[in-house]
Amino acid sequence: MKTTTIPVAYVPLVDAAPLIVAQELGFAEAEGIALDLTAAPSWSSIRDMLAFGRVDAAHMLSPLPVAMAMGLGGVATALSAVSVLSVNGTVLGVGKPLEDRLRALGYDFDFVDPFKAAEALAQDRHGPIVFGVPFPFSMHVELLRYWSRASALGPDGIVIRTVPPALMASALAAGEVDAFCVGEPWGSVAVERGVGALLLPGKAIWSFAPEKVLAVRTNWAEAEPDLLARLLRATWKAGRWLADPNVHAAASDLLSRKAYLDVPSELINRALSGHLIVSSRGAHRQIDGFLEFHRGAATFPWRSQSRWIAQHLCQSHGSGNPTADTIANVFRSDLHRLHLSMLDPDLPGASEKVEGAIPRATPVASAGGRLTLLPNEFFDGQIFDPSAL
């Protein structure tokens, strides 16, 4: 089989692992493709590289293609999210001055309870808390706003400021932000530099939040169905490999290379294992399901995830129609099923579900009858029923 090269962009984060592993461990080669991986410095760069044809696929924030379909952000190229690359994997943290004040109030940094964390921040604050996030259209922003609105912080309790992930620790140290929400390893980098402490994992707010997607231009997906199928199969196999705890050390070594994340492998392994160090005092916390690449049909792009994102973008930006089928169709469950069929994966029979309504691991209808979805809850007990829109 002649090898075809696909240019792909990513931001150096642990959750870019399925693309890096697919290329480095031969999953792409087995499909007759090579991934020409380009690291981008920011999410705006990723968006523009994909939208204007410099690359054909990208590691992308899950809300970004939805925002583009809603006319937000000034770039309107139609994108398709053909797979979820990662679920969860973000952390909320605070800078050292705020950490010290919270400790003086008795807050114990349990890394578990969103209500308690919000109450501690509300007790300390003298105005809105400035949170650094990687991009305005991101799950980081949506989780922060959801948490703020439903907790003691209140809807006006936070201010959002954009900071590229790799610069988050520096922004904290410079006092440009009070706190942050970012993907790993950049929260752990802040801890290692002694400039911040981790407050919560993102999954404490939404326990099964689609964090990154594999995005392609919709017209490329239509013009190159065979290439898309090979790309999807390669990344799906890479995600399945990453789900094995026995490979975390090897995966951490691979991702730590200078060509990829260029940080110590031990920091990367924290995210893959869910065993995080939350402060420079050395306190450890174990978070099961901190970052998922495969379990519980993690790769499946549910249309209901797209609708949830659209509804919250509409609340924040006051424009776009979250009920339109064109918005739900940004998450391409149809293409995911079609192009993975050769592998006979056990995928969900439905394309939408009630988000936030799975309190425990639950068997569901699927092609093979072996699929169990993992817990999927919002911290405040709310549910999102797309059929009620």
Side-chain angles (χ1 to χ4, degrees), residues 125 128 144-160:
R125 73 177 171 196
L144 283 173
R145 285 182 172 149
Y146 189 95
W147 173 53
S148 176
R149 281 194 292 261
S151 71
L153 285 169
D156 300 321
I158 63 171
V159 170
I160 300 295

Side-chain angles (χ1 to χ4, degrees), residues 63-344:
L64 185 46
V66 180
M68 292 169 68
M70 295 172 71
L72 301 172
V75 179
T77 304
L79 300 184
S80 292
V82 295
S83 184
V84 174
L85 282 180
S86 62
V87 167
N88 303 329
T90 58
V91 290
L92 284 67
V94 297
K96 193 67 171 65
L98 187 47
E99 177 193 356
D100 291 342
R101 296 200 302 274
L102 293 178
R103 289 192 187 280
L105 291 170
Y107 182 66
D108 61 1
F109 286 82
D110 65 1
F111 206 54
V112 171
D113 188 339
F115 289 107
K116 190 167 77 172
E119 288 165 3
L121 289 172
Q123 189 177 352
D124 170 78
R125 73 177 171 196
H126 302 286
I129 300 166
V130 179
F131 270 86
V133 300
F135 199 65
F137 308 122
S138 63
M139 187 56 70
H140 313 82
V141 171
E142 300 314 322
L143 292 179
L144 283 173
R145 285 182 172 149
Y146 189 95
W147 173 53
S148 176
R149 281 194 292 261
S151 71
L153 285 169
D156 300 321
I158 63 171
V159 170
I160 300 295
R161 184 168 296 169
T162 301
V163 179
L167 300 180
M168 200 62 76
S170 298
L172 273 181
E176 295 169 3
V177 296
D178 302 314
F180 62 85
C181 183
V182 72
E184 284 290 83
W186 303 112
S188 290
V189 167
V191 172
E192 285 302 297
R193 292 184 186 175
V195 299
L198 304 186
L199 193 70
L200 291 170
K203 74 163 292 187
I205 299 170
W206 183 5
S207 63
F208 208 76
E211 173 58 29
K212 302 297 187 319
V213 296
L214 177 62
V216 300
R217 289 184 303 285
T218 299
N219 60 9
W220 185 84
E222 293 167 351
E224 301 286 358
D226 180 59
L227 277 183
L228 175 59
R230 288 192 259 170
L231 175 62
L232 266 174
R233 289 194 294 266
T235 55
W236 187 87
K237 291 174 184 173
R240 183 176 59 181
W241 182 84
L242 284 159
D244 180 355
N246 295 316
V247 308
H248 289 165
S252 299
D253 289 342
L254 170 60
L255 295 172
S256 72
R257 294 178 186 173
K258 189 174 182 62
Y260 296 122
L261 272 64
D262 193 21
V263 299
S265 61
E266 190 272 331
L267 296 187
I268 295 168
N269 197 41
R270 293 182 194 177
L272 294 177
S273 66
H275 191 75
L276 299 173
I277 296 175
V278 300
S279 77
S280 56
R281 299 184 177 194
H284 292 236
R285 302 286 186 268
Q286 179 65 45
I287 306 297
D288 294 335
F290 174 77
L291 174 60
E292 296 284 2
F293 294 109
H294 185 78
R295 294 194 311 150
T299 65
F300 191 74
W302 295 90
R303 289 161 48 96
S304 47
Q305 294 171 335
S306 186
R307 289 192 189 276
W308 184 92
I309 291 167
Q311 184 188 56
H312 286 265
L313 287 173
C314 186
Q315 285 179 3
S316 300
H317 299 275
S319 63
N321 178 8
T323 66
D325 283 342
T326 52
I327 301 302
N329 287 340
V330 172
F331 275 39
R332 299 297 300 269
S333 49
D334 57 335
L335 295 182
H336 196 78
R337 278 198 195 90
L338 174 67
H339 292 311
L340 288 180
S341 59
M342 182 185 295
L343 300 178
D344 195 26

